Structures are given as C-alpha cells and as structure tokens.
Amino acid sequence: MVSIKDIAKQAGVSISTVSYALNGSPKVTSETSAKILAIAKELNYIPNAAARQLKKQESRIIGAFLTDFTGAFYGDLLQGMKEVLNRKGYDLIVCSGMQSHRLLPERMIDGAIILDSTFSDEELLDYADRGHKLVVLDRELNHPAVNQVLLDNKAGANLAMDYLIGTGHRKLYVVSGPADTFDSRQRMIAVRQTLDRHPELEAIIIEGDFNKGSGEEAGRIILERNEGPAGVFCLNDEMAIGLYNYAASKGVRIGEEISLVGFDNIDLTQYLEPRLATIDYSKYRWGAMASEQLLRIIGGEEVEHERIYVSLIEADSVQRRSAD
Amino acid sequence: MVSIKDIAKQAGVSISTVSYALNGSPKVTSETSAKILAIAKELNYIPNAAARQLKKQESRIIGAFLTDFTGAFYGDLLQGMKEVLNRKGYDLIVCSGMQSHRLLPERMIDGAIILDSTFSDEELLDYADRGHKLVVLDRELNHPAVNQVLLDNKAGANLAMDYLIGTGHRKLYVVSGPADTFDSRQRMIAVRQTLDRHPELEAIIIEGDFNKGSGEEAGRIILERNEGPAGVFCLNDEMAIGLYNYAASKGVRIGEEISLVGFDNIDLTQYLEPRLATIDYSKYRWGAMASEQLLRIIGGEEVEHERIYVSLIEADSVQRRSAD
DNA sequence: TTGTACGCGTTATCAA
DNA sequence: TTGATAACGCGTACAA
C-alpha cells in the first residue's frame, strides 16, 4: 500500500509537500508538483479514504436507507438521488437492514435519506440531535437537521376517490395499508374526508398491508359479497395486482363489474390487462429532490420541507357507470 | 463528538483502558470495565468508523456494484448477499456508476461483488493486483484474488432450445443479447452448439440488446415474415416481454403461432398471459454464494469458482406442435 | 493499567 | 516564496 510517505521519499520532499501537490495547492512550484504527480502516478498511488475522512471529518458519501431491496419501485428513485449527488462530488450508497444503521452515527456517511421503516422516529431524532443530516421520505419528523420530502398522499387519494365517484360508482371499497406507515395513514385521512363529503355512498374499508397477498384477500372478500358493480381503491399498486390475480383466478375481469384504482404507478402496472388506473408521480424527481435538500442542509442552508406532486392516470381498469 | 478521550477523562483512566474495556478485553477488571461502559453509554459514545478503519485496515463493509439500479431483478440477489454478510458481521452497501468505483481502491470497503459492466476487466485486474478482494458475477476473470460465481448460462440455453425442439418446433428464432456481455456470449455458444446438432432445423438469429425495445423489434421481424408456427428463444425475459407487447399490439397471442421461452424468470413474468416459459435460478442463492466466496477469500482461503445451476420452467407460452 | 507509537492524510505554523 | 516540521483526527495494541 503506497502512501504519501512513499511518494515523499521517492521525490525527496516532505509529505506535506506531497499532500499540497496532490491537492493542487499553489504552495508548491509547478515543477515540484509535476514531479510529485508523476511519481504518484508511477507508484499507482491512491489516497486512503479513512485517513482523509478522519482528518476532514467528512466522507462525501451519502447513504440511502431502504426497508428492503425488493421492488422495481426503487430504480428511478435511486437514479434521481445518485445523479444529483454525483454532480456535486458525492457518492451514493444504498443500505438496508438494522445492521447498516451504524453507518450514520459512526460517521461513515455525511448524511442519509430515509425510506426505511426499520428506523424509529426516536432513533432518527437521536441522530439528528447528534448533528447528523437527514432527509426523510416516509414520515413527518420535525427537527432543524431533518428535512421532509413527502409525497402528496392526500391529493393522490382524493384524485383516486374522485375518479371512482365521478365515473358513477356508488359502492366503494378501499383497501388500506399498514396503519403504522405514514403513506397509508395520509391516504386514509383523505379517503375518509372524501367519504364524509359523500354520505350517499356506500363504502367499506378493507384492511391491507401493501403486499400482494392482502390484495388477493381483498378480492376474495369483494367477490364473495357479490353485490354488483363496485369501485375499489387499493392504496398501492401492489395490492391492486393481487386483486387482479384473484379476479383472474375467478374468471372475473377487472374493469367490468369491478373498477380498480391503485397508487404509485409502478412499472409492472403497464403489463396488466386492462391497464391499471393509478396515481402517478415522478420517482426520479422525488429522489433528486431528496438529494438536493440533503446537500442544502449539509451546506448549512435553511430549507423548507418539500412536497412531491401526484397526478391521476386514467385507464380501463375503471368502468364508467351509467348515472342511475 | 464524544471520543474515548472524553470517556477516559470522565472515568479517570487512560484512553487505552477505555479502548480495552469497550472491546471487552480481559485486560481490565470487571469493575473498571463496568464503570467505563456506563460512562460511555451516558455520554452516548459511538466509535468513529474512520479511525477504527485506519488502524485496523478493514471496514467490515462489502460493496455490491450494479450496472444500474433499475430492475426488479436485484431484490433477491441483494437480499442473499446481505443476509450472509450480516451473519458474519459485515455490512453490505450497494453502489452504481463510475464515480463509486473509488470506494474499492480507496479501501472504504473490504471487498466487492461485481455485476457491473462499467468495470472493465483491466480495471478489476488492477484492483486485484493491489490486493483487493473480488467476486465477479458477470465475467470470467482469472486471478488469485478474484472468484467467479457464474450462472450456468450454457445449461440454461440448452434447456430452452431443447424444450422448443422437443415440443416439435422446426423453425426457430433466437434473440441474442449484447455481444459484449458474458451472459449473452455464453448463451449464444450453447445455442449454436444445439443448432449444430440439429441441422434439420431452420434457425434465424436476431440481434437484441437485452432490453424490452429489442424484443419488440424482434417481434416485428418475426411477425412480418409470417411463416407459420415458430419457436422463439429470447436470451432474457425482458426482451420476451417486449415480444409479448408487440404481439399483443398486433392481436397475436403468444403460445399459439409463436412459442416463446425467456431466461431469468424475473418476477414480472408471472403476470404475463399466458405465463412465460423461462429459465429459472435462485437469485437469492446466487447472492448468498457470492458473499460466502468473498468472505472466504478475505479470510485467506483458497476457493474454487462456483456455478449457479438453472432449471426450465415450462409454461403455456410454448405450444406443443404435432409431429409432422 | 498506562504511555505511546501507529495508521494516513491535512493543514497551521514556522524556517530557510 | 518554497517547503519542512509537527499537531491533529480517533481508536488500537504493544511495551512497560
């Protein structure tokens, strides 16, 4: 392992001169500098990240923490994060699982973007108190060192509900997510508000968990009731896919008796027949925004929380009912 | 930032005693140790990764390098890597893009698992020469510090071809991948061998690039020729999906005139109608094996290259032709 | 138990 | 000006 010491010896200068030369400081003449650079190259010198980090108290690495690695879901999100960070000379690493939490307090990374339910609010606040910089994508957390970049869940849920209502559905099912996730709670708040505004509607809430299985279960419940045309809002696309599967297994086609709207517009939905109506938002933008905000708080700027806007994708999974 | 120095001061002992106590060394009495631990906890002490790493010359972090973050493909693979590493006290970080390459030579990570075409063979050999530990999943690379854990691509391609031939197909199309990827080259070698053994078959090779678009293009070519029943082997599932899409847009149903086999068994395939016949292998096992091999070479063991076995999933995308 | 050298680079201070 | 000396960041581990 060649270090600046080796270069210094070979060049006949001190290690500080080597360091200055490698960092392009004007404190060394261009001749000395050129000579040092040449030797460094010849020796295949590569600086030691730990040493630099120890002295500079920064790693220029940002960690993105995810609940798990599954999911076609994260591709664009991570790409958005990475491109912004790389442009500013930072690297992105992606982590998952309890064990990896240590990277933040041990100062291996300069900041973290959290979309990871394995962090509790208390844990994150503790890190924030220690001065670590955070951006959260999956919860509301108020702390000067924490910025929020959240989906406009309520607007999305409103769009979905209004779409079903506007296409003439009078009997509605809503398949919720886990009560302990921010996204599900927010979406349900908007759902309930919509239902309060429409007392004429018949609505049933089915508890789901954001996984395909609970979508299948919801399908079973809905089909067994067999009460005629109904509109279903699954609080995420994955459950909607489960519902497609269950319906297919029973010979029922989505978009006929049952209208269905999802949330997230994951890549998979485009392969469903008929296409799934859903709530769309730019995952790339979400990731890019998260990185931008994080770099700002690392830079000491005061920043406001940000919101990612959503839109409705209409599709044939929703059938227009004749007004009755 | 509280360091062992602060703890030492508070406890009235030396920093070395603190270090020993924190590391559970028997060199300190249990009373002193207990006192030190208590103070450390009270001060919310967390060790500095850079300092430890600088001294110990290891980070206990392994990097997985991917060509990009897209792809439902990587979930189980990364999960397999992570679980093995975590059990052995290592953390996994996932990286992508040229900029992140530095993490390896700068010794931020103790080893790397490569499934990333942005690394050239030369670059990897250079790292291996410097003593960095590598496992490659996407190429053959012979070096004492490099282990290979490769898919049995040839066996998979053979299974796919034999399936099409065995179900009575006499006209075959093969949609290749990029010529510069290991997987495509290996699969094509097996394809050509199979074709050599069956001179009675009519076979056409269509160049693809492993993306959906080239599957659509292949679909266009095949349907325009319109030469009756044919068997198609797409060298990966993503192109097969493109072919489904194109066929659907032309009102052609896969599994009737056209039989189709893919490769990879990505999650998406189960949503296709009819289900796609494809080559399956355990992504989890692949990742787990990669981690195990990496830990072995880090531990100084001599290890042989490993192979991940594959199997055929039969499905209705392949139609049995009557023997003629 | 403790003092201290060490890992490796950065940078302030000081000398030529 | 140009460059060297040395302190420093923080934890580890050997010698005393």
Side-chain angles (χ1 to χ4, degrees):
Chain A
M1 291 299 114
V2 15
S3 74
I4 50 171
K5 202 183 281 182
D6 303 294
I7 302 176
K9 194 174 297 171
Q10 181 116 4
V13 296
S14 74
I15 58 165
S16 54
T17 304
V18 174
S19 177
Y20 286 128
L22 291 173
N23 289 302
S25 158
K27 293 173 68 79
V28 286
T29 56
S30 48
E31 299 117 283
T32 331
S33 184
K35 183 170 136 199
I36 289 171
L37 267 343
I39 293 173
K41 181 159 209 171
E42 183 195 323
L43 295 183
N44 271 318
Y45 170 75
I46 293 193
N48 181 307
R52 186 180 344 96
Q53 189 178 332
L54 184 56
K55 180 64 187 178
K56 302 193 68 166
Q57 301 286 54
E58 65 164 24
S59 63
R60 296 193 79 81
I61 297 174
I62 299 298
F65 289 83
L66 307 177
T67 306
D68 56 56
F69 289 127
T70 69
F73 183 81
Y74 299 121
D76 284 342
L77 187 78
L78 295 172
Q79 192 63 27
M81 292 181 196
K82 180 169 86 73
E83 288 184 13
V84 168
L85 293 174
N86 284 354
R87 269 200 293 278
K88 304 282 182 158
Y90 282 79
D91 274 308
L92 176 71
I93 64 175
V94 183
C95 314
S96 179
M98 295 299 294
Q99 290 204 34
S100 65
H101 292 199
R102 71 173 178 95
L103 298 179
L104 186 61
E106 292 187 359
R107 278 163 285 173
M108 186 103 268
I109 55 182
D110 292 349
I113 299 172
I114 310 290
L115 184 59
D116 185 344
S117 59
T118 68
F119 284 90
S120 69
D121 288 359
E122 295 69 47
E123 184 180 3
L124 291 176
L125 287 171
D126 180 39
Y127 295 146
D129 280 338
R130 293 170 180 274
H132 299 296
K133 310 300 190 233
L134 301 175
V135 168
V136 292
L137 308 187
D138 63 348
R139 68 194 78 202
E140 281 175 329
L141 205 60
N142 284 300
H143 188 288
V146 180
N147 186 259
Q148 299 169 15
V149 181
L150 302 179
L151 271 190
D152 197 348
N153 282 301
K154 290 182 184 171
N158 280 331
L159 285 170
M161 292 295 284
D162 289 349
Y163 182 39
L164 287 173
I165 295 167
T167 45
H169 294 84
R170 292 296 169 264
K171 186 192 302 293
L172 299 177
Y173 293 88
V174 177
V175 188
S176 74
D180 61 348
T181 69
F182 176 74
D183 288 338
S184 175
R185 282 203 310 272
Q186 296 290 305
R187 292 169 197 178
M188 283 311 294
I189 289 172
V191 163
R192 294 218 170 77
Q193 284 172 347
T194 300
L195 293 176
D196 285 347
R197 281 199 306 275
H198 293 275
E200 77 279 13
L201 299 175
E202 184 187 340
I204 292 171
I205 312 275
I206 298 173
E207 299 216 357
D209 63 2
F210 276 170
N211 293 315
K212 224 165 48 181
S214 66
E216 290 170 5
E217 174 64 11
R220 198 183 55 69
I221 293 171
I222 294 167
L223 291 181
E224 278 182 2
R225 295 176 63 99
N226 188 26
E227 292 180 328
V232 182
F233 174 29
C234 281
L235 259 54
N236 78 353
D237 284 353
E238 199 161 331
M239 295 192 296
I241 288 169
L243 216 156
Y244 267 77
N245 286 354
Y246 186 82
S249 75
K250 295 296 171 188
V252 173
R253 188 180 153 87
I254 296 296
E256 293 177 358
E257 282 288 287
I258 294 187
S259 287
L260 183 56
V261 183
F263 200 120
D264 285 340
N265 192 27
I266 62 178
D267 291 342
L268 244 163
T269 60
Q270 70 187 99
Y271 300 110
L272 298 173
E273 246 311 298
R275 198 200 186 299
L276 174 65
T278 189
I279 301 300
D280 184 39
Y281 49 88
S282 167
K283 283 127 204 121
Y284 180 92
R285 231 183 83 74
W286 197 11
M289 179 66 77
S291 285
E292 285 166 10
Q293 296 291 87
L294 184 54
L295 292 181
R296 289 198 186 106
I297 56 179
I298 287 174
E301 279 182 55
E302 289 270 338
V303 287
E304 306 255 308
H305 295 324
E306 281 286 346
R307 187 175 292 281
I308 300 297
Y309 296 101
V310 302
S311 62
L312 171 71
I313 294 183
E314 303 190 2
D316 291 338
S317 67
V318 172
Q319 165 92 272
R320 179 169 293 280
R321 311 293 175 193
S322 56
D324 52 324
Chain B
M1 291 300 114
V2 13
S3 75
I4 52 170
K5 205 182 280 182
D6 303 294
I7 302 176
K9 196 174 295 169
Q10 180 112 5
V13 296
S14 73
I15 59 162
S16 45
T17 305
V18 173
S19 178
Y20 286 129
L22 292 173
N23 289 301
S25 159
K27 294 170 69 81
V28 284
T29 59
S30 48
E31 298 116 285
T32 338
S33 184
K35 185 169 135 196
I36 290 170
L37 267 344
I39 293 173
K41 182 159 209 173
E42 183 195 322
L43 296 182
N44 271 317
Y45 169 75
I46 293 194
N48 180 307
R52 190 189 329 103
Q53 189 177 330
L54 184 55
K55 180 64 187 180
K56 301 194 66 166
Q57 301 287 52
E58 66 166 22
S59 63
R60 296 193 80 80
I61 297 175
I62 299 298
F65 290 82
L66 306 177
T67 306
D68 56 55
F69 289 126
T70 68
F73 184 79
Y74 299 120
D76 285 341
L77 187 78
L78 295 172
Q79 191 64 26
M81 292 181 196
K82 181 168 86 70
E83 288 184 13
V84 168
L85 293 174
N86 284 355
R87 269 200 292 278
K88 305 281 184 160
Y90 282 78
D91 274 308
L92 176 72
I93 65 176
V94 183
C95 314
S96 179
M98 296 299 293
Q99 291 205 33
S100 65
H101 292 198
R102 72 173 177 93
L103 297 179
L104 186 62
E106 292 188 358
R107 279 163 283 172
M108 185 102 268
I109 54 182
D110 293 348
I113 299 171
I114 310 291
L115 185 59
D116 185 344
S117 59
T118 68
F119 284 90
S120 68
D121 288 359
E122 296 69 45
E123 184 180 4
L124 291 176
L125 287 172
D126 180 39
Y127 295 146
D129 279 339
R130 292 169 180 277
H132 298 296
K133 309 301 189 233
L134 301 174
V135 169
V136 292
L137 308 188
D138 63 349
R139 69 194 77 204
E140 280 175 331
L141 205 60
N142 284 301
H143 188 289
V146 180
N147 186 258
Q148 299 170 15
V149 181
L150 302 178
L151 272 190
D152 197 347
N153 282 300
K154 290 182 183 169
N158 280 331
L159 285 171
M161 293 294 284
D162 289 348
Y163 182 38
L164 287 173
I165 297 167
T167 45
H169 295 84
R170 292 296 170 263
K171 186 190 304 289
L172 299 178
Y173 293 89
V174 177
V175 187
S176 74
D180 61 349
T181 69
F182 176 74
D183 288 338
S184 175
R185 282 203 310 272
Q186 295 291 303
R187 291 170 198 178
M188 283 311 293
I189 289 172
V191 163
R192 293 216 170 78
Q193 284 172 348
T194 300
L195 293 176
D196 285 347
R197 279 199 307 273
H198 292 276
E200 76 280 12
L201 299 176
E202 184 186 341
I204 292 172
I205 311 275
I206 297 173
E207 298 216 358
D209 64 1
F210 276 170
N211 293 315
K212 223 165 50 182
S214 65
E216 291 171 5
E217 173 65 10
R220 198 182 56 69
I221 294 171
I222 294 168
L223 290 181
E224 278 181 2
R225 294 177 62 99
N226 188 25
E227 291 182 331
V232 183
F233 174 29
C234 281
L235 259 53
N236 77 354
D237 285 352
E238 199 160 331
M239 296 192 296
I241 288 169
L243 216 156
Y244 267 76
N245 287 353
Y246 185 83
S249 75
K250 296 294 171 190
V252 172
R253 187 181 154 87
I254 297 295
E256 293 179 357
E257 283 288 289
I258 295 188
S259 288
L260 183 55
V261 182
F263 201 119
D264 285 341
N265 192 26
I266 63 179
D267 291 343
L268 245 162
T269 60
Q270 70 186 99
Y271 300 108
L272 298 173
E273 245 311 296
R275 198 201 185 298
L276 173 65
T278 189
I279 302 299
D280 184 40
Y281 49 88
S282 167
K283 285 123 203 129
Y284 180 93
R285 230 183 85 75
W286 198 9
M289 179 66 77
S291 285
E292 284 166 11
Q293 295 293 86
L294 184 55
L295 293 182
R296 288 199 187 105
I297 56 181
I298 287 174
E301 279 182 54
E302 290 271 338
V303 288
E304 305 256 306
H305 295 324
E306 281 287 345
R307 187 175 292 280
I308 299 297
Y309 295 101
V310 304
S311 62
L312 170 71
I313 293 183
E314 303 190 2
D316 290 339
S317 67
V318 172
Q319 166 92 270
R320 178 169 293 278
R321 313 290 175 197
S322 56
D324 52 323

